[in-house]
Amino acid sequence: MGGLTEAKLRELAGERSFERGLGYVDEVSGIEFGDGWIRASVRGTQRYEVELALGGRRRPTGTCDCPYGQEGNFCKHLVALGLTVIAQNADLPRLRESARARSRSLDTWLSGLSRDELLSVVGEEIAEDRQLRRRLELRAASARGDLAGVRSRVRDLLDIGPFAQYGYVEYGDARAYADQARQAASAVRSLTASGRSVDAMTLAREAIGLLAGVVENVDDSDGWLGQIGTSLADTHHDACRAAHPDPEDLAHWLVTHALDDAADLTDIDPLDYEDLLGERGMITLRQFAVEAWKANRTGWAEKHLMQRLARSGRDVDTVIAVYVADLAPNGHTHFLIARELDTAGRPAEALEWAERGIRGTEDLATVDTTLVDDLADRYTKASRLADAVTLRRDHFVACRSLLTYQQLRAAARAAGCWPPEREQALDLLRVDAGGKGAQRGPVLVDALLDDKDIDAAWQAATSSGAHDGQWLTLTDLARPTRPADALAVYLRLAARLTHETGNHAYEQLVSLLLSVRDCHHRLGTPDDFTTYVTDLRAAQKRKRNLMRLMEEHGL
């Protein structure tokens, strides 16, 4: 049995897939035994076809058409089949021999039929099995060299009509449609194998267009159509390699496709065809790309294609020209241009573009902070510390936050001018604190806390107000030196929490009570704390989880 054991299955699938596979053993049906392989159906989200290959001394392998299995993984459905096979280990030789006997019997019977009898059997099967009929029709058309016939059948196979309700293929029918579409892709691929690569190339392009035209009307949650699109893209590439199409015609199609919605379905990269296009084709490809971009300079697909081609040719000026045609008002595009110039070894121009991005931004409060950070770093590396301070100061003035304050502080300390810069910055934050204040409390308090200036932070919070979170941080820091002031804040915060329920609120309250106890300890008034906790327990006694938490912490 190819060394198939539960331990081997666990090794092949991994712990998670193995454990999940245990729950699918009862969903295995239709087991077929062959010489070295075992096939079955396993019902999961839908019915999947699985196959185990048991090759003597070789490592067992398996395939499954579920999404996880399609990625090459040994999935839970394969585990379920493997466990079923292990359970039938004693009967496996008999089952295999029975399968061989059935196969020999079928071959003998078919060989004994006359031509007319065989045609009659095939006709009956075709009448019963629509999929078989379509596969045979495709093979017949291909064998006859009937391009029109193959094209017609491919169109039929890619038509969503038989599967769609109100023009949309629901998830439950998507698998069946994908199976049919996969037959179309296989038929196109077979043309190259039979020496008809030009026809394969033509039909692959048509099939890609047809599939792209319906993909938005199919619930492709499992990604089947994406896989078929990739298969058609590979078929097209292989056909082109065999057919040697006209380079200019190929270049035109590649550009048209790259700018079409179908590009997302196939992910075809025009540069993958560079060896087929040759010098003439690449020149044409770039010409078509430039024309398309000039017609729509802000189009994402056009810009992406232009940048891709320009980078491949190390044409940084063209890349920059594409960016310049659609500059973002917040300076982000300037940052991208500067990065391209850095890569090209042109740092002076990169600096110029970064500065231009800052100058061109009407409101520094909306500027891309990546650009600010980038330019400040450039100034620092160039020992232009005063310029770095000016940049950080201007950004802080426009966008007064703890982060911009910290960035200004770092730049000013590096330049040796932090004390005067700090006073100017704090003056602005004091003006802000005198207004309505930020939702999370005045930035002034946060800045002073970040400076470790506890007394100034306390004064600012007292005079201008502060958010509860700021008060808690401030009080925790001030408790060793101002226990009485800290106690008043803790009691106020605790009083609010006594009106809330839920474990999170209880945990916060217990943390505050521990701080209250520490304050009383520092003040030498432990009896006052005992009285406070006794009264609190009496008032909150119905909150059992709170009582339990208090007991755990000795409160």
Side-chain angles (χ1 to χ4, degrees):
M1 196 170 57
L4 191 64
T5 63
E6 287 194 14
K8 179 62 69 175
L9 284 176
R10 192 184 297 271
E11 177 186 342
L12 290 169
E15 192 66 33
R16 184 169 182 268
S17 289
F18 180 84
E19 292 298 328
R20 296 181 69 184
L22 294 172
Y24 284 83
V25 172
D26 293 337
E27 303 299 331
V28 179
S29 64
I31 300 179
E32 296 180 11
F33 292 86
D35 189 11
W37 56 263
I38 302 171
R39 300 184 185 126
S41 295
V42 181
R43 180 172 293 281
T45 307
Q46 58 192 48
R47 186 168 293 281
Y48 297 111
E49 299 302 316
V50 297
E51 178 178 315
L52 277 172
L54 310 174
R57 296 180 180 180
R58 292 177 300 171
R59 177 187 177 93
T61 60
T63 59
C64 177
D65 58 4
C66 73
Y68 190 61
Q70 288 270 334
E71 295 175 359
N73 299 298
F74 200 95
C75 66
K76 60 189 177 185
H77 309 110
L78 284 165
V79 171
L81 175 57
L83 292 171
T84 303
V85 171
I86 291 172
Q88 298 180 1
N89 185 27
D91 290 336
L92 191 59
R94 180 184 61 79
L95 292 169
R96 278 182 168 171
E97 182 54 38
S98 177
R100 293 191 188 100
R102 289 195 302 271
S103 180
R104 288 193 297 268
S105 177
L106 177 60
D107 289 342
T108 300
W109 176 67
L110 290 173
S111 299
L113 294 177
S114 68
R115 178 179 181 278
D116 290 341
E117 289 172 332
L118 186 60
L119 287 175
S120 176
V121 169
V122 173
E124 291 173 1
E125 292 301 317
I126 288 175
E128 293 291 330
D129 189 335
R130 183 176 63 176
Q131 302 298 338
L132 174 61
R133 174 174 56 82
R134 287 178 168 174
R135 289 196 297 272
L136 291 178
E137 286 174 348
L138 273 171
R139 292 184 66 174
S142 178
R144 293 194 308 269
D146 180 8
L147 180 60
V150 177
R151 176 181 283 115
S152 176
R153 297 307 305 135
V154 167
R155 287 181 176 274
D156 288 344
L157 290 169
L158 294 177
D159 179 19
I160 65 171
F163 303 90
Q165 294 184 358
Y166 309 108
Y168 188 80
V169 181
E170 301 290 347
Y171 178 78
D173 298 315
R175 171 65 184 278
Y177 171 73
D179 288 342
Q180 183 171 294
R182 192 175 288 109
Q183 293 177 32
S186 298
V188 176
R189 188 184 309 112
S190 68
L191 291 174
T192 300
S194 62
R196 299 172 59 195
S197 55
V198 174
D199 291 343
M201 180 183 69
T202 301
L203 284 184
R205 294 180 184 182
E206 294 181 12
I208 287 170
L210 291 170
L211 193 63
V214 301
V215 69
E216 294 298 325
N217 297 314
V218 180
D219 184 346
D220 191 32
S221 300
D222 289 334
W224 301 114
L225 300 192
Q227 295 173 15
I228 297 169
T230 300
S231 174
L232 286 170
D234 292 340
T235 296
H236 179 264
H237 191 272
D238 292 342
C240 288
R241 188 167 293 282
H244 302 292
D246 177 73
E248 292 185 356
D249 174 74
L250 177 58
H252 185 267
W253 183 83
L254 287 170
V255 171
T256 302
H257 175 77
L259 303 181
D260 189 76
D261 291 340
D264 293 334
L265 180 69
T266 62
D267 199 27
I268 289 177
D269 185 350
L271 291 178
D272 288 341
Y273 291 76
E274 187 169 1
D275 60 330
L276 298 175
L277 289 166
E279 183 178 353
R280 182 164 65 94
M282 287 301 296
I283 291 173
T284 304
L285 184 73
R286 288 188 168 89
Q287 288 175 343
F288 283 135
V290 170
E291 290 172 6
W293 171 66
K294 287 182 177 178
N296 184 20
R297 292 177 183 268
T298 60
W300 183 90
E302 287 80 1
K303 290 192 297 183
H304 178 73
L305 178 59
M306 279 293 295
Q307 291 165 359
R308 184 88 176 84
L309 293 174
R311 289 194 183 100
S312 71
R314 296 181 176 85
D315 186 358
V316 68
D317 291 317
T318 298
V319 175
I320 292 172
V322 175
Y323 280 129
V324 171
D326 187 28
L327 291 172
N330 69 347
H332 178 68
T333 320
H334 292 77
F335 165 72
L336 296 177
I337 292 173
R339 188 172 59 181
E340 293 286 350
L341 288 166
D342 279 334
T343 302
R346 294 156 63 176
E349 294 174 75
L351 174 61
E352 181 182 345
W353 271 101
E355 291 177 326
R356 191 182 303 180
I358 295 296
R359 291 196 303 269
T361 303
E362 294 183 1
D363 183 2
L364 278 179
T366 63
V367 73
D368 183 356
T369 56
T370 306
L371 176 61
V372 178
D373 295 341
D374 177 74
L375 182 54
D377 186 55
R378 292 177 189 276
Y379 284 148
T380 301
K381 289 180 179 178
S383 299
R384 295 172 56 179
L385 302 183
D387 289 333
V389 172
T390 299
L391 175 62
R392 291 301 191 186
R393 182 196 308 125
D394 291 344
H395 192 215
F396 169 76
V397 171
C399 183
R400 294 193 278 277
S401 67
L402 176 60
L403 177 60
T404 56
Y405 179 84
Q406 292 169 330
Q407 291 169 332
L408 172 59
R409 181 178 63 199
R413 280 179 173 171
C417 60
W418 176 229
E421 288 290 341
R422 179 176 187 263
E423 286 308 311
Q424 294 179 32
L426 291 177
D427 284 343
L428 287 174
L429 293 179
R430 290 187 185 99
V431 172
D432 292 345
K436 294 182 179 180
Q439 184 178 1
R440 298 297 301 175
V443 176
L444 174 63
V445 174
D446 289 330
L448 291 169
L449 283 171
D450 202 61
D451 283 340
K452 304 296 188 293
D453 193 345
I454 308 305
D455 289 338
W458 191 280
Q459 181 179 352
T462 302
S463 60
S464 301
H467 186 271
D468 282 352
Q470 291 176 315
W471 270 119
L472 184 58
T473 301
L474 178 57
T475 305
D476 286 342
L477 293 171
R479 187 170 70 215
T481 58
R482 335 175 49 136
D485 293 333
L487 177 60
V489 175
Y490 286 137
L491 291 175
R492 174 175 62 79
L493 296 176
R496 292 184 182 180
L497 287 172
T498 59
H499 299 291
E500 298 183 19
T501 57
N503 289 337
H504 181 63
Y506 300 156
E507 290 169 359
Q508 289 180 301
L509 180 56
V510 168
S511 177
L512 288 172
L513 292 177
L514 293 173
S515 298
V516 169
R517 182 172 66 184
D518 182 66
C519 288
H520 277 294
H521 174 74
R522 294 176 184 276
L523 293 168
T525 55
D527 292 342
D528 291 347
F529 176 71
T530 301
T531 301
Y532 169 75
V533 170
T534 301
D535 292 341
L536 181 66
R537 277 182 164 277
Q540 304 288 315
K541 62 184 178 181
R542 294 182 180 275
K543 299 177 179 178
R544 296 181 179 178
N545 284 352
L546 174 59
M547 296 298 103
R548 177 181 55 78
L549 277 175
M550 291 179 66
E551 289 174 2
E552 290 177 357
H553 289 83
L555 296 171

